[in-house]
Amino acid sequence: RSLALNAISQAEWAEKKLVWVPHTEHGFVEGRKVEDNGDEITVLFADGSTACISADDVQKMNPPKFEKVEDMADLSVLNEASVLHNLRDRFHSDLIYTYSGLLFVVHK
């Protein structure tokens, strides 16, 4: 299923290997950094494929303990990919009420 839910993912996150990569169909997808050449990063995806991505396009991922967090202000990394992932994950779990600090977000 999700790389972020894998038992090994906590250690990979601690090593800063789990990242978000832009995707034309899904917005962002999870990946694991396998090589960092400065300007380009090689990313391994859950389906086993790899791609070289510009370092500017790769976004940091939150630790697995922040999966489905109710208040997005609690996220340690607050970027577009993390917010979209959290909203999508909560929506698919019927957790339609989400906060972002003092803002209340309802998605249905």
Side-chain angles (χ1 to χ4, degrees):
R1 192 165 116 76
S2 170
L3 288 174
L5 297 178
N6 187 323
I8 299 170
S9 67
Q10 185 65 39
E12 289 179 334
W13 178 84
E15 294 176 19
K16 310 236 183 279
K17 289 186 176 182
L18 296 181
V19 294
W20 291 114
V21 177
H23 189 273
T24 54
E25 185 179 336
H26 301 292
F28 293 92
V29 292
E30 305 172 35
R32 185 170 55 89
K33 194 184 325 181
V34 292
E35 191 175 340
D36 188 343
N37 296 323
D39 292 341
E40 266 194 353
I41 295 173
T42 304
V43 177
L44 173 67
F45 299 102
D47 66 2
S49 66
T50 60
C52 290
I53 311 291
S54 169
D56 293 336
D57 293 332
V58 174
Q59 295 186 25
K60 294 180 182 179
M61 188 180 279
N62 282 289
K65 70 179 184 177
F66 288 107
E67 286 293 310
K68 299 179 189 167
V69 68
E70 186 175 15
D71 187 348
M72 289 187 288
D74 293 338
L75 295 173
S76 61
V77 178
L78 191 60
N79 55 33
E80 182 182 3
S82 295
V83 168
L84 289 173
H85 170 72
N86 191 55
L87 288 172
R88 183 182 300 126
D89 219 17
R90 289 181 59 80
F91 175 79
H92 290 298
S93 298
D94 282 334
L95 301 169
I96 63 169
Y97 301 107
T98 307
Y99 295 88
S100 183
L102 297 175
L103 267 162
F104 182 60
V105 181
V106 178
H107 38 93
K108 37 182 203 170

